[in-house]
C-alpha cells in the first residue's frame, strides 16, 4: 500500500486536480491520499492559506471581511465548476468558514481553524471528483484517520498513541482522501502543524499505515544537487538517504518542510519525490541507506538570515561550565541556537536572525558581560550558511580542502566552518552578499568535469535587480 501526498501546486486549480486523479487511477495501490490547500496558479497568485489568514486577521480586528471571503469562495467555486461537481460542496465550504468565523475561542485557535479550511476543502473536492470518475473514494477527516496531536496552535506535535489508530486506515475500502496540515487534540480542538505541515501529515500516515512507499508529488522532476536559481540545469539526485535529505531540507532545500519526513524516517518508509506534471519521471528516492558511490557529495544547500555571536575569554577551556552558562542565557531569553563551534578561548553561537531582535541582542550582550566576564563579545549579522552534504564525507579524504579551495578561487572569505557530528554535512558561514558566488564555486568543484560549458543564471533572469 502506498501513501501519496499532493502539494499546493498539484491542487491549485481544476486542471491540476485532473492530473492528480489520473495519477491515483493509474495505480490501485495508492490507497491513502493527502492533499494541501490550493497553491499558486501563476507566479503572482496568492496561496489559499494566505487568503484564509487575511480573512482571520480582518475578522479579529473587527474589519469588514466580505471581500476576503468572496475571494476565497471564488477560488473554490471556480475549481468546483470546472470539475463539474455538485454545488453542495461549495455550500458546505462556506458554511464551515462562517462557523469558524463565529467561534468564541482564542485568536490562535480561531486562526488554526480557519487555516485548516484550505486542506480540508481540497480533500472534499478531490474525493468528490474521484467519485465522479467512478472510483471508490471517500473524504476522511483527520480525527477519523486517527491523527491526534498536542494542543499547541500552529505547532502541533503528534501523540504517540495515534499510530495504532492510523493503522486502521488499511482496513478501509477504496481510496481515502485526508486533508493535510492539521489534527485534533484529545479535547477535540482542531490544531495545525507548523507551516508546510501537509508534508508532516503525509509522513505520519505513511508511518502509521506501514506503507510500502510514501510518494510526495510536487512540481519538480527530482531533487537537484543545487538550487536551480544559482546554477542552470543542475544535476538531479536519484537517491538520497534520510540523513542527507534532512540536512538538505534544514539548509534551504524547499522540497520539504525540514521536519516533514521524520515520522517516515523513524519507520524506514522509503519516500519518492515525484512531479505531478510529469509523473512518469522516476523522481528522487529517499531511503535509509544507499549504495556508496564515487560521488561523496550529493548536494549543496544554503540559507540566509543568520547571525553569529562571538565570545572570547582567556582560559575559557579551563572554566568548567562556561558553555552551559552561555547557552543558559539564551534559553532564559527564549532564543534557540543552530550551531555552536568553539575553540580554546572562544566560542561562536549561530542563530536565526529573526529570533535575535535588537532588544534581545542588548539584553544578551549585557548578561554575557556581567555574568561571564568575557574579554570580547560581538555580533555579526547578514550571515549565510552553505552546507555540503553527503554520506560519503566520513570516508572521503580532502572534501574540506576542495571546498575551501573553491572559496579561495572565488575570492570569498569564510567566517565559519563546522563539521556536523552526524558526519553527513560540512557547513560554511559566509557573508550573505557572497552566497551566490560561494554556491557556484562549490558546484564547479564537486559536480562538473568540464567547466567550459557551465552557465549560471543572471541576476535579472532570477528576478533580482
Amino acid at each position: 500500500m502506498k501513501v501519496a501526498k499532493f502539494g499546493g501546486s498539484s491542487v491549485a486549480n481544476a486542471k491540476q486536480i485532473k492530473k492528480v486523479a489520473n495519477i491515483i487511477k493509474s495505480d490501485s495501490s495508492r490507497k491513502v491520499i493527502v492533499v494541501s490547500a490550493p497553491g499558486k496558479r501563476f507566479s503572482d497568485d496568492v496561496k489559499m492559506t494566505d487568503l484564509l489568514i487575511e480573512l482571520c486577521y480582518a475578522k479579529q480586528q473587527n474589519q469588514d471581511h466580505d471581500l476576503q471571503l468572496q475571494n476565497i469562495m471564488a477560488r473554490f467555486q471556480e475549481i468546483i465548476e470546472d470539475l463539474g461537481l455538485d454545488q453542495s460542496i461549495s455550500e458546505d465550504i462556506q458554511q464551515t468558514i462562517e462557523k469558524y468565523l463565529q467561534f468564541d475561542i482564542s485568536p490562535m485557535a480561531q486562526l488554526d481553524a480557519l487555516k485548516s479550511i484550505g486542506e480540508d476543502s481540497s480533500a472534499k473536492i478531490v474525493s468528490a471528483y474521484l467519485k465522479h470518475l467512478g472510483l471508490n473514494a471517500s473524504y476522511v477527516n483527520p480525527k477519523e484517520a486517527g491523527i491526534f496531536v498536542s494542543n499547541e496552535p500552529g505547532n502541533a506535535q503528534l501523540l504517540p498513541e495515534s499510530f495504532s489508530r492510523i493503522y486502521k486506515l488499511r482496513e478501509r475500502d477504496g481510496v481515502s482522501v485526508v486533508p493535510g496540515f492539521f489534527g485534533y487534540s484529545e479535547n477535540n480542538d482542531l490544531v495545525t502543524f507548523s507551516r508546510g505541515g501537509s508534508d508532516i501529515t503525509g509522513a505520519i500516515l505513511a508511518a502509521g499505515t506501514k506503507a510500502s512507499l510514501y510518494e510526495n508529488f510536487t512540481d519538480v522532476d527530482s531533487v537537484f544537487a543545487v538550487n536551480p536559481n544559482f546554477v542552470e540545469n543542475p544535476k538531479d539526485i536519484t537517491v538520497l538517504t534520510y540523513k542527507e535529505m534532512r540536512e538538505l531540507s534544514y539548509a534551504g532545500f524547499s522540497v520539504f518542510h525540514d521536519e516533514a519526513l521524520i515520522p517516515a524516517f523513524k519507520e524506514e518508509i522509503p519516500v519518492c519525490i515525484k512531479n505531478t506534471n510529469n509523473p512518469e519521471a522516476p523522481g528522487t528516492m529517499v531511503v535509509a541507506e544507499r549504495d556508496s558511490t564515487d560521488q561523496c557529495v550529493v548536494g549543496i544547500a544554503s540559507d540566509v538570515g543568520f547571525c553569529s555571536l562571538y565570545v572570547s575569554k582567556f582560559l575559557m577551556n579551563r572554566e568548567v561550565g562556561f558553555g552551559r552558562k552561555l547557552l543558559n542565557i539564551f534559553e532564559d531569553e527564549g532564543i534557540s541556537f543552530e550551531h555552536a563551534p568553539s575553540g580554546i578561548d572562544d566560542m561562536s553561537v549561530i542563530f536565526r536572525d529573526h529570533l535575535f531582535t535588537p532588544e534581545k541582542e542588548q539584553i544578551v550582550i549585557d548578561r554575557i558581560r556581567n555574568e561571564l566576564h568575557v574579554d570580547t563579545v560581538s555580533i555579526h549579522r547578514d550571515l549565510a550558511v552553505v552546507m555540503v552534504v553527503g554520506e560519503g564525507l566520513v570516508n572521503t579524504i580532502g572534501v574540506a580542502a576542495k571546498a575551501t579551495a573553491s572559496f579561495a578561487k572565488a575570492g570569498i572569505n569564510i567566517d565559519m566552518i563546522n563539521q556536523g557530528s552526524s558526519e553527513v554535512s560540512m557547513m560554511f558561514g559566509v557573508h550573505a552578499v557572497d552566497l551566490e558566488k560561494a554556491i557556484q564555486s562549490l558546484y564547479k568543484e564537486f559536480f562538473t568535469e568540464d567547466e567550459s560549458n557551465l552557465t549560471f543564471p543572471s541576476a535579472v533572469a532570477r528576478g533580482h535587480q
Side-chain angles (χ1 to χ4, degrees):
M1 190 197 82
K2 297 176 183 177
V3 172
K5 181 260 175 180
F6 293 89
S9 63
S10 301
V11 293
N13 55 33
K15 180 180 178 181
Q16 290 299 101
I17 291 175
K18 289 176 181 178
K19 294 177 184 178
V20 169
N22 287 332
I23 290 169
I24 296 169
K25 286 172 59 180
S26 69
D27 188 343
S28 60
S29 67
R30 291 180 176 124
K31 302 287 287 183
V32 177
I33 307 301
V34 178
V35 292
S36 295
K40 291 185 177 183
R41 297 161 293 183
F42 43 86
S43 60
D44 295 330
D45 200 11
V46 180
K47 294 180 179 180
M48 178 59 72
T49 301
D50 292 322
L51 293 175
L52 290 161
I53 291 171
E54 289 177 11
L55 171 66
C56 183
Y57 287 159
K59 166 64 176 177
Q60 292 179 356
Q61 293 167 12
N62 296 316
Q63 298 174 355
D64 181 36
H65 53 271
D66 287 345
L67 180 60
Q68 287 90 343
L69 180 57
Q70 289 171 15
N71 289 338
I72 290 165
M73 289 310 305
R75 284 284 301 274
F76 284 128
Q77 186 67 30
E78 178 182 298
I79 294 172
I80 291 165
E81 289 180 356
D82 289 350
L83 292 175
L85 300 178
D86 192 277
Q87 289 303 308
S88 61
I89 301 172
S90 178
E91 294 168 4
D92 176 65
I93 293 171
Q94 181 152 353
Q95 288 171 5
T96 303
I97 294 174
E98 291 174 349
K99 178 180 70 173
Y100 289 162
L101 285 171
Q102 299 306 317
F103 269 5
D104 185 17
I105 51 179
S106 72
M108 286 296 294
Q110 185 176 50
L111 178 61
D112 267 17
L114 286 167
K115 284 192 298 184
S116 75
I117 292 288
E119 282 75 11
D120 198 52
S121 301
S122 281
K124 291 174 180 176
I125 291 169
V126 170
S127 62
Y129 184 61
L130 293 175
K131 285 182 185 177
H132 179 72
L133 297 178
L135 271 68
N136 179 13
S138 57
Y139 160 82
V140 180
N141 184 273
K143 186 194 306 181
E144 187 182 359
I147 302 175
F148 286 86
V149 299
S150 61
N151 201 347
E152 300 172 77
N155 192 36
Q157 304 296 314
L158 187 74
L159 299 180
E161 55 267 29
S162 294
F163 285 113
S164 60
R165 297 167 175 171
I166 291 168
Y167 189 77
K168 295 178 182 178
L169 281 174
R170 297 183 66 99
E171 301 170 3
R172 295 181 67 98
D173 293 331
V175 178
S176 299
V177 184
V178 184
F181 190 36
F182 69 99
Y184 286 83
S185 74
E186 292 180 315
N187 294 327
N188 205 34
D189 296 315
L190 188 157
V191 194
T192 67
F193 297 111
S194 53
R195 190 73 186 258
S198 290
D199 287 326
I200 299 175
T201 301
I204 286 170
L205 294 181
T209 59
K210 309 291 186 184
S212 60
L213 180 67
Y214 170 38
E215 297 176 308
N216 193 294
F217 283 86
T218 179
D219 54 3
V220 294
D221 282 351
S222 63
V223 175
F224 297 114
V226 71
N227 189 329
N229 284 330
F230 295 123
V231 177
E232 289 184 359
N233 301 315
K235 292 183 178 181
D236 56 6
I237 304 174
T238 56
V239 182
L240 281 169
T241 66
Y242 296 146
K243 286 183 179 180
E244 289 167 340
M245 188 71 233
R246 170 74 170 137
E247 297 281 355
L248 291 170
S249 295
Y250 161 75
F253 265 47
S254 59
V255 174
F256 282 116
H257 182 286
D258 68 351
E259 299 175 6
L261 292 183
I262 291 175
F265 289 173
K266 290 181 176 178
E267 293 297 322
E268 297 192 354
I269 308 294
V271 178
C272 189
I273 300 162
K274 295 179 71 69
N275 189 350
T276 301
N277 302 313
N278 185 21
E280 301 306 316
T284 297
M285 288 295 300
V286 187
V287 296
E289 296 180 0
R290 66 178 174 89
D291 294 334
S292 59
T293 64
D294 292 335
Q295 182 66 47
C296 70
V297 175
V298 297
I300 299 165
S302 62
D303 205 1
V304 294
F306 293 89
C307 63
S308 172
L309 181 141
Y310 172 78
V311 175
S312 176
K313 185 177 184 181
F314 185 58
L315 298 180
M316 179 192 293
N317 65 316
R318 296 188 186 180
E319 186 173 332
V320 177
F322 182 89
R324 174 185 56 79
K325 294 173 185 175
L326 175 62
L327 296 179
N328 272 349
I329 292 174
F330 300 123
E331 181 181 1
D332 290 346
E333 300 303 328
I335 303 168
S336 61
F337 74 97
E338 303 287 328
H339 308 278
S342 63
I344 297 174
D345 293 327
D346 50 43
M347 184 173 180
S348 293
V349 187
I350 312 302
F351 306 90
R352 294 282 181 176
D353 195 70
H354 70 275
L355 297 175
F356 210 50
T357 63
E359 294 78 15
K360 289 287 187 182
E361 176 181 327
Q362 192 59 53
I363 293 170
V364 168
I365 288 177
D366 287 345
R367 287 193 61 184
I368 290 172
R369 285 175 175 155
N370 295 332
E371 297 174 27
L372 302 181
H373 310 292
V374 299
D375 300 322
T376 303
V377 57
S378 59
I379 300 290
H380 304 278
R381 293 189 180 270
D382 298 320
L383 188 69
V385 164
V386 182
M387 194 173 286
V388 176
V389 177
E391 293 268 9
L393 291 179
V394 65
N395 296 317
T396 305
I397 297 171
V399 175
K402 290 179 70 175
T404 54
S406 75
F407 287 133
K409 291 176 187 175
I412 296 169
N413 183 54
I414 301 173
D415 291 338
M416 175 190 62
I417 301 177
N418 191 27
Q419 172 79 50
S421 58
S422 68
E423 299 181 320
V424 176
S425 65
M426 185 174 297
M427 187 185 70
F428 300 89
V430 300
H431 292 299
V433 294
D434 292 327
L435 177 61
E436 181 175 335
K437 287 193 299 180
I439 293 174
Q440 292 173 351
S441 183
L442 284 170
Y443 188 82
K444 287 179 182 178
E445 189 70 43
F446 289 106
F447 290 97
T448 63
E449 296 177 0
D450 180 10
E451 296 183 11
S452 62
N453 294 323
L454 185 64
T455 58
F456 300 120
S458 67
V460 173
R462 290 196 310 276
H464 302 302
Q465 300 299 322

